[in-house]
């Protein structure tokens, strides 16, 4: 699969999310359970339309990821139980769109990281994915991958 990384100027967007601190090998199981709990909390109010499922990694320490796992909402979410109000970063980001199999989205992450220096940017360590609707027949889910960046 080939990618065309670009520099995007992104605005902070509200998300309703739960926090998690985990190793990458536990990512799939934890993310899907977390998204279930966030979607359940959102059913208690009118925060739509929803613009995607979001997994925001705010850092990594000794192989442990600090995550915000949630759903993009149309207006700020007041928080409900363990589901809190957060926003995605704003500013510049290296962006890649992955259209292949969901299980291969790590290739988009590699492409974004590899492109940063070529595009004159330094990565901050913060990155996130925005997942579109899952296509059951094709077993794909469009995923936009963003890496927060500053000028090198």
């Amino acid at each position: 699969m080939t990618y065309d990384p670009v520099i995007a100027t992104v605005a902070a967007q509200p998300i309703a999310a739960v926090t998690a601190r985990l190793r990458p090998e536990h990512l799939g199981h934890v993310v899907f359970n977390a998204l279930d709990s966030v979607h359940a909390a959102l059913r208690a109010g009118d925060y739509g339309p929803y613009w995607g499922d979001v997994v925001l990694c705010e850092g990594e320490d000794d192989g442990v990821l600090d995550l915000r796992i949630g759903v993009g909402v149309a207006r700020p979410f007041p928080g409900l139980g363990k589901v809190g109000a957060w926003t995605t970063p704003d500013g510049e980001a290296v962006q890649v769109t992955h259209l292949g199999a969901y299980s291969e989205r790590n290739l988009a992450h590699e492409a974004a990281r590899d492109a940063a220096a070529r595009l004159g940017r330094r990565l901050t360590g913060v990155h996130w994915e925005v997942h579109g609707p899952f296509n059951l027949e094709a077993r794909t889910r469009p995923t936009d991958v963003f890496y927060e960046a500053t000028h090198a």
Side-chain angles (χ1 to χ4, degrees):
M1 177 162 287
T2 59
Y3 296 98
D4 186 23
V6 298
I7 299 299
T9 301
V10 294
Q13 299 293 320
I15 62 174
V18 295
T19 61
R21 189 167 162 74
L22 55 96
R23 295 200 169 278
E25 59 267 22
H26 303 290
L27 194 63
H29 175 71
V30 172
V31 166
F32 290 115
N33 285 338
L35 287 172
D36 284 347
S37 68
V38 173
H39 281 283
L42 290 174
R43 284 192 287 275
D46 181 21
Y47 305 103
Y50 307 116
W51 50 266
D53 291 339
V54 179
V55 178
L56 169 64
C57 180
E58 294 187 319
E60 182 175 348
D61 182 29
D62 289 331
V64 177
L65 305 172
D66 287 315
L67 302 177
R68 307 287 179 252
I69 304 165
V71 176
V73 293
R75 58 192 132 292
F77 178 73
L80 183 61
K82 292 183 179 185
V83 181
W86 303 92
T87 62
T88 59
D90 66 339
E92 286 194 339
V94 178
Q95 178 186 3
V96 173
T97 299
H98 175 72
L99 298 174
Y102 180 74
S103 62
E104 297 175 358
R105 72 193 186 291
N106 63 318
L107 299 172
H109 284 271
E110 291 174 16
R113 289 190 304 264
D114 292 347
R118 182 173 40 80
L119 295 170
R121 300 304 189 275
R122 182 182 60 79
L123 301 179
T124 68
V126 174
H127 59 278
W128 66 102
E129 298 177 350
V130 177
H131 304 278
F134 188 76
N135 179 328
L136 188 58
E137 185 174 306
R139 302 213 40 84
T140 60
R141 187 175 196 191
T143 303
D144 287 316
V145 173
F146 298 88
Y147 275 78
E148 185 178 56
T150 60
H151 286 276

